[in-house]
Amino acid sequence: MFGIGKDDNDDSRGERQQDFGGNMTHGGSYPAGGGYARDDDDDLRGASEHASRHAGSSGSSDLFSGLLGALTQKKQSLKDEDLDEDDAVKQHKRYYEKDDDEEADDKSVGSAAAMQALKMFTGGQSGNTHETSSQSAFVGLAMAEASKLFDQKASQGKVSSDSSKESAVMKAGEMALKMYLKSSGGGASQSSGSGLLGLASKFL
């Protein structure tokens, strides 16, 4: 599409810069680091922007970008962790369908938010267009949902004393990333869109 006549590498850089305004290119304001494969770094690099956009007043880009740095470091270990889908479904029903009076904690809020993100993401309610199979969009949406849910419960005085918003948002990011990695088999992100749909169809 762009830069006809240039070599393939220049073409791909031109397209990325055109699509993302330069924010996603290497050497930008959000460096890759960590020594992971370049594709993995790219997959989470835009998550902070997605999260802050969906969270609105419930979360800042500083909150999300700080947590995403830690999440990126954990990505390799999360691939090997079990995904408790049954508990995630249970917590989703608890928070989004029943709205019970029990105190919320960071783990259950994170699980419920990740499942809500899965529901929104695969149902076309996330506001994404060409990014529907993007790892960063899905993880960012889960973190935003956790931020909003935690604030909602806190305003009702229904948050346990040992829970924090940062931890709830981090738990949501971890759960969403595990969902994504499981749905795509831990491989390339091209299959993630259909993989997440398959995962969602089992629970929602």
Side-chain angles (χ1 to χ4, degrees):
M1 292 173 59
F2 304 106
I4 296 175
K6 297 181 182 178
D7 62 43
D8 290 342
N9 288 335
D10 284 342
D11 272 353
S12 64
R13 282 197 298 270
E15 288 186 17
R16 290 175 64 79
Q17 210 154 14
Q18 181 75 21
D19 289 343
F20 300 105
N23 291 331
M24 301 278 286
T25 55
H26 301 292
S29 60
Y30 190 10
Y36 296 128
R38 187 178 70 182
D39 289 343
D40 286 350
D41 290 329
D42 285 348
D43 283 342
L44 285 178
R45 192 173 300 186
S48 176
E49 181 184 342
H50 288 292
S52 57
R53 185 169 72 240
H54 285 291
S57 61
S58 287
S60 67
S61 58
D62 288 342
L63 167 69
F64 297 123
S65 61
L67 293 173
L68 280 161
L71 186 62
T72 300
Q73 299 299 322
K74 296 183 68 174
K75 184 172 183 179
Q76 300 304 311
S77 63
L78 287 172
K79 284 184 179 181
D80 300 321
E81 290 186 17
D82 290 332
L83 174 61
D84 193 343
E85 299 107 330
D86 292 338
D87 181 68
V89 171
K90 176 183 175 182
Q91 301 305 335
H92 181 266
K93 288 181 178 177
R94 173 186 167 189
Y95 288 110
Y96 288 94
E97 295 176 23
K98 297 178 181 178
D99 192 24
D100 63 30
D101 289 327
E102 292 182 35
E103 282 192 335
D105 62 86
D106 43 21
K107 184 177 185 298
S108 62
V109 167
S111 293
M115 189 58 70
Q116 177 68 4
L118 180 64
K119 183 177 182 180
M120 294 173 66
F121 201 76
T122 56
Q125 303 173 42
S126 60
N128 296 301
T129 51
H130 66 287
E131 300 163 344
T132 50
S133 63
S134 162
Q135 182 180 138
S136 64
F138 178 54
V139 172
L141 182 60
M143 296 175 84
E145 283 298 309
S147 184
K148 291 192 291 185
L149 181 58
F150 189 92
D151 279 357
Q152 175 190 330
K153 290 299 180 181
S155 70
Q156 298 168 352
K158 296 179 182 178
V159 174
S160 62
S161 59
D162 59 347
S163 296
S164 70
K165 182 175 181 176
E166 289 79 5
S167 181
V169 172
M170 184 67 175
K171 294 292 184 185
E174 290 176 0
M175 176 65 78
L177 189 51
K178 285 194 285 186
M179 286 178 177
Y180 185 95
L181 294 171
K182 181 171 184 175
S183 71
S184 62
S189 60
Q190 295 92 298
S191 63
S192 62
S194 59
L196 284 172
L197 281 171
L199 189 63
S201 68
K202 291 162 58 177
F203 318 118
L204 302 171

